[in-house]
Amino acid sequence: MPLIFHAADLHIGARFEFLPPDTAKRAVVQQLSALRDFLADAGERHADAVLIAGDLFDTPEVPKQLSQAVFSLLDACPVPIFLSPGNHDYYFPRSPYAQELPSNVTIFTERVLRPVPLADGRTVIWGAAFQDTKAAIPLEAPLDPHAVNICLVHGEVGGDGGYNPIREETAAASGFDYIALGHNHRFSGVFRWGDTTVSCPGCLTPTSSAETGRKGYLAGVVSEHRAEMDFIPSSAVSFAEINLSMDQILSDHMLADRLLPRIPENPQSVCCTIQLTGSRCFEPNLSALQQSLRPVFFHVRLIDHSIALADLFRYENEDSLSGYVTRDLKQQIARASTEEDHAKCTLALEFALAALEGRELAEGGFE
């Protein structure tokens, strides 16, 4: 039973245009590091094959220096590597895959499935290539009924965008033991259609702030009519979003206290978007906050969508009960010696005015 490593959608060479230029260059370096770590894991565990289901590169034409760096990493891996070009890195005469490749690398170049046997004599890898940005690759193939048959293609699960859609009925009737897919950037899970196990690991190295969540690759054993694949997190740069309500946050210090527990693990490899929401009763020092967070994350972006509360002291000059309460609590706020006392007095004023105005406070602050 072969041990298979399956990855897809590294998009090496992506421009990361939403990042500052120096950070974008570092992100490409991190892509190469993630590829190296993936291949190293396969080598250390003596895998029988590494499968890359398309979009290794972000574009069909690749700068020579970048393609050489990638192929050098592939060449250093002691495991046979099989690659099915996708819609971003489709095969054509000027493709980097059309040049001389490392001896351990097999690139599928045709639009129909072609077989390559593994050295174990019991496993066959079938693969095909995109030759343009769209493809429709048939899953019919003359399979060896006495072998483990694995299909490697770039294709979308359940989609209809012309990116080699993979249908349940077609996959179930194909006879393959495992279909290794790429294209969908979110991990599909490992599931069965008939006697065929199917999975798309999602992108190994995300390239968009919308691609949050865990990213990684699959590793496991494939046997006849069964595949046991485990998801392994990638070492690539990841993306995260933190939505933080400003309700009842009364100072920059309180804002930092609320934010710190929300910072993800290993933030030095995270591109994080922090969005402030809700109602605020003070003006936060956003430039100072961004400056303090910059060394923590690989990259951080701060967006303020919060809305200023109505002026807490709007009744201060009125000769009314609301005016009296406002003046009294404003003095207590001014005399507060600790941030906790300041917060208590401010909240007391919020609730008192809400009661006098005959309205209820929304959870965490003013309506």
Side-chain angles (χ1 to χ4, degrees), residues 224-296:
E224 291 185 47
H225 308 311
R226 192 162 190 85
E228 301 288 343
M229 307 298 289
D230 295 321
F231 184 87
I232 301 172
S234 166
S235 63
V237 168
S238 61
F239 293 85
E241 289 184 358
I242 298 175
N243 293 313
L244 184 63
S245 173
M246 291 293 289
D247 293 347
Q248 297 190 13
I249 295 179
L250 306 174
S251 68
D252 287 310
H253 184 70
M254 287 183 68
L255 175 57
D257 285 345
R258 294 278 183 90
L259 178 59
L260 284 174
R262 304 281 302 278
I263 292 177
E265 293 184 11
N266 304 316
Q268 66 278 3
S269 63
V270 176
C271 290
C272 189
T273 300
I274 300 172
Q275 296 194 66
L276 304 182
T277 61
S279 300
R280 66 180 186 274
C281 58
F282 82 106
E283 291 302 321
N285 189 338
L286 298 183
S287 60
L289 179 60
Q290 175 112 11
Q291 189 69 24
S292 65
L293 291 173
R294 194 166 289 146
V296 175

Side-chain angles (χ1 to χ4, degrees), residues 23-364:
T23 307
K25 290 179 182 178
R26 289 172 51 218
V28 174
V29 172
Q30 285 289 105
Q31 289 181 310
L32 295 172
S33 296
L35 173 61
R36 182 190 61 237
D37 293 344
F38 163 65
L39 296 172
D41 190 18
E44 289 169 4
R45 293 174 59 180
H46 305 288
D48 293 286
V50 166
L51 311 180
I52 301 178
D55 289 356
L56 172 62
F57 295 106
D58 191 56
T59 55
E61 294 190 65
V62 181
K64 188 173 182 179
Q65 184 178 6
L66 184 60
S67 64
Q68 287 178 337
V70 170
F71 292 143
S72 176
L73 293 175
L74 300 182
D75 188 32
C77 180
V79 176
I81 298 171
F82 298 86
L83 192 144
S84 172
N87 61 298
H88 275 258
D89 60 351
Y90 57 83
Y91 185 84
F92 77 123
R94 295 192 304 280
S95 166
Y97 304 135
Q99 62 181 284
E100 185 177 351
L101 299 171
S103 59
N104 64 323
V105 176
T106 297
I107 306 291
F108 294 102
T109 61
E110 299 183 46
R111 295 183 180 182
V112 294
L113 295 172
R114 297 300 184 202
V116 178
L118 291 186
D120 64 7
R122 304 185 305 273
T123 307
V124 181
I125 309 295
W126 296 78
F130 275 61
Q131 292 184 347
D132 203 335
T133 56
K134 300 293 179 71
I137 299 169
L139 292 183
E140 295 87 357
L143 304 184
D144 182 349
H146 304 293
V148 172
N149 292 280
I150 298 173
C151 177
L152 173 65
V153 288
H154 194 76
E156 55 182 341
V157 177
D160 197 22
Y163 302 108
N164 190 31
I166 305 297
R167 307 294 183 201
E168 179 176 356
E169 60 275 12
T170 305
S174 69
F176 283 106
D177 300 301
Y178 181 58
I179 298 180
L181 297 176
H183 187 71
N184 297 88
H185 281 203
R186 188 172 295 275
F187 176 40
S188 68
V190 180
F191 54 95
R192 290 177 65 80
W193 282 337
D195 290 331
T196 300
T197 302
V198 181
S199 188
C200 177
C203 53
L204 182 72
T205 58
T207 58
S208 164
S209 58
E211 293 172 356
T212 57
R214 61 179 187 164
K215 306 299 177 187
Y217 55 93
L218 295 166
V221 173
V222 180
S223 58
E224 291 185 47
H225 308 311
R226 192 162 190 85
E228 301 288 343
M229 307 298 289
D230 295 321
F231 184 87
I232 301 172
S234 166
S235 63
V237 168
S238 61
F239 293 85
E241 289 184 358
I242 298 175
N243 293 313
L244 184 63
S245 173
M246 291 293 289
D247 293 347
Q248 297 190 13
I249 295 179
L250 306 174
S251 68
D252 287 310
H253 184 70
M254 287 183 68
L255 175 57
D257 285 345
R258 294 278 183 90
L259 178 59
L260 284 174
R262 304 281 302 278
I263 292 177
E265 293 184 11
N266 304 316
Q268 66 278 3
S269 63
V270 176
C271 290
C272 189
T273 300
I274 300 172
Q275 296 194 66
L276 304 182
T277 61
S279 300
R280 66 180 186 274
C281 58
F282 82 106
E283 291 302 321
N285 189 338
L286 298 183
S287 60
L289 179 60
Q290 175 112 11
Q291 189 69 24
S292 65
L293 291 173
R294 194 166 289 146
V296 175
F297 292 99
F298 187 87
H299 177 70
V300 63
R301 184 170 60 136
L302 194 60
I303 303 173
D304 184 14
H305 288 314
S306 65
I307 300 172
L309 281 172
D311 183 8
L312 279 178
F313 306 129
R314 57 192 177 277
Y315 296 115
E316 181 180 8
N317 297 320
E318 288 190 10
D319 185 16
S320 64
L321 182 56
S322 295
Y324 174 79
V325 170
T326 298
R327 289 189 292 275
D328 179 62
L329 285 171
K330 182 179 181 181
Q331 290 177 4
Q332 294 186 47
I333 291 170
R335 291 196 299 268
S337 58
T338 66
E339 192 169 86
E340 183 179 0
D341 288 341
H342 185 280
K344 288 180 179 179
C345 293
T346 302
L347 290 177
L349 179 54
E350 290 183 15
F351 280 97
L353 293 180
L356 289 169
E357 292 170 354
R359 58 182 173 81
E360 294 183 0
L361 278 177
E363 184 179 350

